[in-house]
Amino acid sequence: SGMGPINPQDLNTIVEREGLTICATHIGFNRLQNDLEAVINEHKLWGCKYVGLGSMPEEYRKDKAGFINFAGEVSIIADRLQENGLQFIYHNHNFEFVKFANKTGLDILLENYNQSIDFEIDTYWVQAGGADPAQWIRKVAGRMDVVHFKDMSVDGSNVIMAEVGGGNLNWDRIIQACEDIGVEWICVEQDICQRDPFESLTISLKNLKAMGL
């Protein structure tokens, strides 16, 4: 995600040289709709099972019907990926926690996604939506192998993204929930850093090791 234009084979050469693993991706919805065969071939080249969508397109977010329609469309894509040995995963933000007739958008998606769709819960955005990250991790048990760890803090009256363990999320509960449902990959993500990004990454890694990971 956010790589910029690069030949898939060149990327594969780089990650192999550096001893890295591509555990999951975020692919634009337009490519998933119109270039799926190439997406499948790229993921097979990279040895990457998890094909992620970073966000639901804005045009589906207006009402309950939009969420249901999106669930139907993306389920077709997820079926094709599964037929090719890949797994579609959906990454949330906070807009999925808007309520429609007393149900959040994420609840609507959970109810209407078919079984070929898994989740990629982002802890920060769940909290930003006014929900409980640990509770939602447990809610998608059996349907999530990849999670995004991101912390939330405050600077005066402003909510900010923080290094994992440097904010106010309850990491004991979150990590226990991940262990209980058998999460395979923990991705540390910090969209906006208050310092050099590599320093932020180092802090998150040190804190996670102190937590026993």
Side-chain angles (χ1 to χ4, degrees), residues 44-110:
K44 287 183 176 180
L45 169 68
W46 299 329
C48 177
K49 177 181 178 180
Y50 299 101
V51 183
L53 178 64
S55 185
M56 179 196 301
E58 198 163 347
E59 61 265 27
Y60 294 94
R61 306 178 193 176
K62 298 175 183 177
D63 52 28
K64 181 178 179 180
F67 276 78
I68 293 173
N69 289 339
F70 173 78
E73 290 183 28
V74 82
S75 292
I76 296 169
I77 294 169
D79 284 343
R80 281 194 58 198
L81 291 172
Q82 200 164 76
E83 289 166 4
N84 285 272
L86 303 175
Q87 179 62 54
F88 178 84
I89 55 177
Y90 179 77
H91 172 275
N92 67 278
H93 286 83
N94 57 345
F95 67 82
E96 292 94 345
F97 293 93
V98 171
K99 286 194 172 182
F100 304 97
N102 295 319
K103 282 189 178 180
T104 69
L106 200 56
D107 280 307
I108 294 167
L109 292 179
L110 180 58

Side-chain angles (χ1 to χ4, degrees), residues 109-135:
L109 292 179
L110 180 58
E111 290 175 3
N112 287 276
Y113 278 162
N114 69 16
Q115 290 302 309
S116 61
I117 296 178
D118 279 1
F119 289 81
E120 185 183 28
I121 293 296
D122 184 300
T123 56
Y124 174 95
W125 288 116
V126 173
Q127 189 73 42
D132 180 346
Q135 183 182 51

Side-chain angles (χ1 to χ4, degrees), residues 69-209:
N69 289 339
F70 173 78
E73 290 183 28
V74 82
S75 292
I76 296 169
I77 294 169
D79 284 343
R80 281 194 58 198
L81 291 172
Q82 200 164 76
E83 289 166 4
N84 285 272
L86 303 175
Q87 179 62 54
F88 178 84
I89 55 177
Y90 179 77
H91 172 275
N92 67 278
H93 286 83
N94 57 345
F95 67 82
E96 292 94 345
F97 293 93
V98 171
K99 286 194 172 182
F100 304 97
N102 295 319
K103 282 189 178 180
T104 69
L106 200 56
D107 280 307
I108 294 167
L109 292 179
L110 180 58
E111 290 175 3
N112 287 276
Y113 278 162
N114 69 16
Q115 290 302 309
S116 61
I117 296 178
D118 279 1
F119 289 81
E120 185 183 28
I121 293 296
D122 184 300
T123 56
Y124 174 95
W125 288 116
V126 173
Q127 189 73 42
D132 180 346
Q135 183 182 51
W136 261 100
I137 289 166
R138 295 185 184 280
K139 204 167 186 177
V140 297
R143 300 184 67 175
M144 186 171 75
D145 293 328
V146 184
V147 67
H148 273 197
F149 276 11
K150 184 187 304 177
D151 212 340
M152 176 184 286
S153 186
V154 290
D155 180 11
S157 59
N158 297 317
V159 175
I160 60 173
M161 296 178 181
E163 292 78 15
V164 176
N168 297 314
L169 296 193
N170 189 326
W171 290 105
D172 289 340
R173 291 185 66 241
I174 290 169
I175 291 170
Q176 188 62 57
C178 289
E179 291 178 347
D180 289 347
I181 74 165
V183 166
E184 180 180 359
W185 291 99
I186 293 171
C187 299
V188 174
E189 180 186 43
Q190 191 172 340
D191 311 32
I192 301 170
C193 300
Q194 310 304 314
R195 51 183 59 83
D196 181 271
F198 286 96
E199 184 181 353
S200 287
L201 184 61
T202 302
I203 293 169
S204 289
L205 179 60
K206 180 180 177 181
N207 289 344
L208 284 168
K209 285 182 175 180

